Amino acid sequence: MSPPSRRLQTKPVITCLKTFLISYSLIFWFTGVILLAVGVWGKVSLEAYISLASEESTNAPYVLIGTGATIVIFGLFGCFATCRGSPWMLKLYAMFLTLVFLAELVAGVSGFIFRHEVRHRFKLHCCGVKNYTDWSETAYFKDNGIPASCCKPSANCSPENLKDMDKAGKEVYRTGCFALVTTVMEGNLGIIAGISFGIAFFQLIGIFLACCLSRYITNNQYEMV
């Protein structure tokens, strides 16, 4: 059994690590909520753009939804494991954070592939892949016409006009989105790389905190024997 003074020195360290790890887990949980929301938004709002950009459907929204939901669940698990002070739970949490790091790499790659489908988030004033007439070859156009998101701010984009390619040409942006989105993405690759590095570093912090807390709790239990 170790001296009482040593145990008293260990407890403040454990309390400090618990505080940091709970704060980390809450931030981690919040990032999961964001990924989940983006995935749902991409699936619900960009279905037409997905069919236009490629004949094959993309799994990017599902990857984001799955990753976000898993992060939300394990973020709560991390808070619970920290409050309980269970070494095996903390080790499991650290293992999960390692897996999440790999999953985020997959999500990042999927997001890069998904970049052509989020052009209206950049407000680039464009329509279609090459130009607005690309919509005429899609099933979406037969039922709905050209999407209202292609309309100019002061345009008269009635459903009838959007279903008539000649009339729609006067009301929507005529420039295609592929080149514009590519230019924006290429111009921000440095920012994207920085964010990716920041996410990776953030995961390492969580793994370090969980492992350290598990070790201190285990050592403290042995010291009390």
Side-chain angles (χ1 to χ4, degrees):
M1 184 173 180
S2 63
S5 60
R6 184 174 180 181
R7 294 200 303 272
L8 290 175
Q9 292 174 355
T10 303
K11 287 183 179 179
V13 176
I14 292 177
T15 302
C16 183
L17 286 173
K18 279 188 174 182
T19 302
F20 280 119
L21 189 55
I22 288 176
S23 300
Y24 170 89
S25 298
L26 291 175
I27 297 173
F28 185 61
W29 174 85
F30 185 69
T31 60
V33 172
I34 293 176
L35 283 177
L36 183 60
V38 171
V40 172
W41 169 80
K43 177 59 181 174
V44 173
S45 302
L46 302 180
E47 192 70 34
Y49 289 92
I50 294 174
S51 61
L52 174 64
S54 175
E55 294 181 357
E56 299 179 359
S57 61
T58 178
N59 292 322
Y62 297 108
V63 172
L64 292 174
I65 291 172
T67 303
T70 306
I71 289 176
V72 167
I73 294 172
F74 271 87
L76 296 175
F77 176 80
C79 292
F80 177 75
T82 305
C83 294
R84 282 288 303 272
S86 172
W88 73 266
M89 284 185 176
L90 291 169
K91 290 177 182 178
L92 180 62
Y93 186 45
M95 292 175 60
F96 170 75
L97 290 176
T98 304
L99 294 177
V100 166
F101 170 72
L102 300 176
E104 285 178 344
L105 291 180
V106 175
V109 172
S110 299
F112 182 75
I113 296 174
F114 198 46
R115 67 192 185 280
H116 301 300
E117 300 152 13
V118 295
R119 61 97 190 148
H120 66 276
R121 294 294 291 180
F122 292 104
K123 304 183 186 305
L124 292 177
H125 299 171
C126 58
C127 186
V129 178
K130 296 180 180 179
N131 56 59
Y132 76 100
T133 60
D134 292 331
W135 285 102
S136 63
E137 302 173 0
T138 66
Y140 180 90
F141 178 80
K142 296 178 181 178
D143 297 327
N144 305 285
I146 297 177
S149 57
C150 287
C151 293
K152 299 175 183 178
S154 59
N156 178 26
C157 285
S158 63
E160 293 75 16
N161 287 344
L162 291 177
K163 291 182 179 180
D164 188 316
M165 191 59 66
D166 294 331
K167 294 181 180 179
K170 301 177 182 178
E171 309 295 342
V172 302
Y173 295 107
R174 304 173 69 92
T175 305
C177 299
F178 183 83
L180 290 175
V181 172
T182 303
T183 300
V184 170
M185 295 302 297
E186 289 177 351
N188 291 278
L189 284 179
I191 298 175
I192 295 172
I195 293 175
S196 300
F197 179 79
I199 292 175
F201 181 73
F202 186 67
Q203 300 304 326
L204 293 178
I205 292 175
I207 295 170
F208 174 77
L209 289 174
C211 291
C212 285
L213 181 57
S214 175
R215 179 182 177 184
Y216 269 99
I217 292 175
T218 301
N219 291 341
N220 189 56
Q221 290 174 346
Y222 279 124
E223 290 171 358
M224 296 178 64
V225 176

